[in-house]
C-alpha cells in the first residue's frame, strides 16, 4: 500500500517521540511491503516562532492532502504570554476542526506488568481497566460562541450541540461497543444542562437500534468518582468535548501509564490524526528520557483506522507488549532504582521485536 503521512512533531518532546514512532513505522512498512511518503508540517509553538501563527493555512492544507496525520505534542511555557487566539493549542483545535475529526478515541488500559504504577489500590484494579473514551471533538464549549462584555467585567462561553453532531459520534460509540464488551455509558450533566438533555434523548433513541448494546447514563460528577471507585464497570464512555477532556485525563492517570496511551481522532472518512495522550513535557525535552511508546502505539491505531492494516497494527502492539514483559522501561515507568532506557533505546527495543 502507498501511504502519505503528514508528520507534525510540534514542541517539547514532540520531535524525539515522533522520530522513534517513524522508525517503527518504517520498519513495519519494510516487513509488510508498504511505501510511505512523509511530509513535515510545523504547528504549535514552533510555528509561532517561525511564522507568528500557530497553524498556517499551508500547514492545514498539507494535512488535508495526506492520508493520516501523526502528531507529537504542542505547547509549552515559552508561549504562555501569547494571547488566547494565537496560543499553540489553537493549532490542535484548528487541525481537529479543519480536518473534521469529530470523534476522539482515547483508550485507557492497564498493563498488568505496570499495575504498580497505578495510584489506585490493587484491589480496585484487580479486575483490570479497559475503557474506551469517545470524546466529541469539534463541538460544544470548545467551539461555541465566546466573548467579553464591553466593560471587560464579564465573559461567556457557550455549549451547544445539534442532534446531527450527537448522532454521528454516538454511532461510533455503538459500533465500537459491539467489538468490545457491548456496553456504552453516556456521560452528561442532564440534571442541569439543556444540551445534555438533548444528548440523552438522541442517544437513547438511537439505542433502540442496538438491542445488543447495553446503554446507561451517568452524570459527569458521578462518573469522575466512579472512575476511581470502580473503573472496571466501564467499557465505552461516550461524552461531549469538555467532559471528555477532563475524564480522559483522569482515566489515563488511573492506569499509571500515561506515557503509554495513544489516541485517534477520526471524522467521516478514513483520514485521521493520531497522537499520544500526554503533553509536550517541556521539562524533559531534548534529554532523551521521554517515553515514545504512546506515539508508537498511535502509529498502530493509524494503521488500523486509516489504512485497515490490522495485522500491521497488531505487530506493533505485540512488539510493545513484548518489550514491556521483557522489562524494557523508560524512566517514567521504571520503579525506583530499576534500570531504565532512553527514548531512542526504547524505540530500538520495540523495533527489534517487530515481526
Ligand atoms: C487534549 C488537550 C487539548 C484539549 C488542549 C491542549 C487544547 O488537553 O487534547 O486533551 O483540551 O483538547
Ligand atoms: Mg486534555
Amino acid at each position: 500500500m502507498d501511504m502519505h503521512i503528514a508528520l507534525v512533531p510540534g514542541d517539547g518532546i514532540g520531535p524525539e517521540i515522533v522520530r522513534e514512532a517513524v522508525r517503527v513505522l518504517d520498519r513495519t512498512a519494510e516487513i509488510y511491503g508498504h511505501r510511505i511518503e512523509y511530509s513535515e508540517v510545523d504547528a504549535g509553538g514552533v510555528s509561532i516562532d517561525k511564522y507568528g501563527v500557530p497553524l498556517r493555512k499551508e500547514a492545514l492544507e498539507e494535512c488535508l492532502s495526506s492520508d493520516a496525520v501523526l502528531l507529537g505534542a504542542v505547547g509549552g511555557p515559552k508561549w504562555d504570554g501569547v494571547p488566547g487566539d494565537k496560543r499553540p493549542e489553537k493549532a490542535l483545535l484548528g487541525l481537529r476542526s479543519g480536518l473534521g475529526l469529530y470523534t476522539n478515541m482515547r483508550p485507557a488500559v492497564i498493563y498488568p506488568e505496570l499495575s504498580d504504577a497505578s495510584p489506585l489500590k490493587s484491589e480496585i484494579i484487580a479486575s483490570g481497566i479497559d475503557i474506551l473514551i469517545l470524546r466529541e471533538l469539534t463541538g460544544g464549549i470548545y467551539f461555541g460562541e465566546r466573548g467579553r462584555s464591553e466593560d471587560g467585567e464579564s465573559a461567556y462561553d457557550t455549549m451547544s450541540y445539534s442532534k446531527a453532531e450527537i448522532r454521528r459520534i454516538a454511532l461510533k460509540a455503538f459500533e465500537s461497543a459491539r467489538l468490545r464488551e457491548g456496553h456504552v455509558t453516556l456521560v452528561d450533566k442532564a440534571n442541569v444542562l439543556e444540551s445534555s438533555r438533548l444528548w440523552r434523548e438522541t442517544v437513547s433513541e438511537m439505542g433502540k437500534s442496538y438491542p445488543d448494546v447495553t446503554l446507561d447514563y451517568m452524570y459527569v460528577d458521578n462518573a469522575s468518582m466512579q472512575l476511581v471507585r470502580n473503573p472496571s464497570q466501564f467499557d465505552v464512555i461516550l461524552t461531549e468535548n469538555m467532559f471528555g477532556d477532563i475524564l480522559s485525563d483522569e482515566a489515563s492517570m488511573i492506569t499509571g501509564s500515561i506515557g503509554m496511551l495513544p489516541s485517534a481522532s477520526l471524522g467521516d472518512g478514513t483520514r485521521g490524526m493520531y497522537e499520544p495522550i500526554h503533553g509536550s513535557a517541556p521539562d524533559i525535552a531534548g534529554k532523551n528520557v521521554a517515553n515514545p511508546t504512546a506515539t508508537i502505539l498511535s502509529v498502530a491505531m493509524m494503521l488500523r483506522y486509516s489504512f485497515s492494516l490490522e495485522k500491521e497494527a497488531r505487530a506493533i502492539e505485540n512488539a510493545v507488549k513484548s518489550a514491556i514483559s521483557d522489562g524494557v522501561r523508560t524512566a517514567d515507568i521504571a520503579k525506583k532504582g530499576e534500570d531504565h532506557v532512553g527514548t531512542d533505546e526504547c524505540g530500538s527495543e520495540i523495533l527489534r521485536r517487530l515481526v
Side-chain angles (χ1 to χ4, degrees):
M1 184 183 282
D2 279 351
M3 316 181 212
H4 175 195
I5 295 171
L7 298 176
V8 187
D11 310 315
I13 57 172
E16 28 188 329
I17 54 180
V18 166
R19 191 179 310 128
E20 295 313 311
V22 166
R23 285 174 63 211
V24 169
L25 180 55
D26 281 341
R27 178 73 189 121
T28 310
E30 192 186 333
I31 297 175
Y32 290 89
H34 304 297
R35 252 199 24 210
I36 310 178
E37 187 196 322
Y38 296 103
S39 42
E40 278 238 10
V41 177
D42 286 322
V46 61
S47 171
I48 298 178
D49 289 352
K50 276 196 197 166
Y51 309 106
V53 289
L55 183 69
R56 290 187 311 154
K57 201 168 94 268
E58 293 85 340
L60 176 61
E61 273 162 13
E62 189 62 50
C63 293
L64 276 166
S65 71
S66 71
D67 302 317
V69 180
L70 180 66
L71 187 136
V74 298
K78 181 173 174 198
W79 303 279
D80 271 352
V82 174
D85 61 332
K86 292 215 174 65
R87 289 182 58 86
E89 290 81 357
K90 262 280 168 195
L92 259 186
L93 302 179
L95 284 168
R96 289 171 182 171
S97 69
L99 297 167
L101 308 174
Y102 55 82
T103 302
N104 183 218
M105 308 175 80
R106 298 190 173 185
V109 295
I110 198 152
Y111 288 79
E113 294 92 339
L114 303 177
S115 61
D116 277 357
S118 167
L120 299 184
K121 290 205 181 94
S122 55
E123 61 261 32
I124 294 180
I125 53 173
S127 32
I129 300 179
D130 184 355
I131 307 172
L132 178 65
I133 298 193
L134 289 195
R135 165 188 177 194
E136 201 289 329
L137 203 58
T138 53
I141 201 163
Y142 272 63
F143 292 91
E145 197 187 312
R146 71 181 99 249
R148 297 240 178 158
S149 61
E150 252 170 52
D151 64 4
E153 290 298 306
S154 66
Y156 65 97
D157 298 274
T158 36
M159 185 190 294
S160 114
Y161 272 104
S162 67
K163 285 189 177 175
E165 284 176 306
I166 298 165
R167 274 196 206 106
R168 60 187 185 177
I169 182 167
L171 190 78
K172 304 226 177 184
F174 286 115
E175 298 293 339
S176 309
R178 276 190 166 159
L179 303 174
R180 298 171 47 96
E181 299 294 306
H183 176 196
V184 173
T185 305
L186 173 65
V187 172
D188 62 27
K189 190 72 187 173
N191 49 346
V192 178
L193 303 178
E194 196 55 36
S195 56
S196 284
R197 289 192 272 272
L198 188 72
W199 272 82
R200 267 199 199 203
E201 262 166 57
T202 312
V203 173
S204 86
E205 186 58 37
M206 288 174 75
K208 293 182 189 146
S209 317
Y210 294 86
D212 51 325
V213 175
T214 307
L215 172 64
D216 51 27
Y217 312 89
M218 209 180 265
Y219 297 140
V220 62
D221 47 349
N222 184 30
S224 73
M225 183 179 81
Q226 295 298 333
L227 271 173
V228 294
R229 201 186 70 87
N230 176 19
S232 319
Q233 70 184 288
F234 295 107
D235 177 24
V236 175
I237 291 180
L238 167 65
T239 192
E240 68 87 39
N241 204 342
M242 190 164 67
F243 297 160
D245 177 44
I246 298 166
L247 292 180
S248 60
D249 264 28
E250 188 188 3
S252 58
M253 191 60 211
I254 60 171
T255 69
S257 313
I258 189 154
M260 312 281 301
L261 300 175
S263 77
S265 302
L266 294 157
D268 279 331
T270 57
R271 190 195 305 111
M273 184 159 83
Y274 302 84
E275 57 181 305
I277 278 184
H278 61 71
S280 63
D283 49 322
I284 55 163
K287 296 187 178 152
N288 194 36
V289 299
N291 186 349
T293 311
T295 318
I296 291 171
L297 289 172
S298 299
V299 163
M301 285 189 104
M302 170 190 285
L303 294 173
R304 173 171 298 126
Y305 294 113
S306 283
F307 301 104
S308 296
L309 296 172
E310 182 61 30
K311 204 164 33 123
E312 290 80 342
R314 289 257 165 97
I316 295 179
E317 288 162 353
N318 289 337
V320 167
K321 279 192 198 134
S322 115
I324 300 270
S325 53
D326 292 345
V328 176
R329 302 278 184 275
T330 41
D332 57 314
I333 54 172
K335 289 189 196 139
K336 253 210 168 95
E338 199 179 34
D339 265 357
H340 54 261
V341 297
T343 309
D344 51 5
E345 209 181 326
C346 179
S348 304
E349 289 294 336
I350 292 171
L351 193 136
R352 70 186 185 80
R353 286 174 174 77
L354 277 170
V355 280

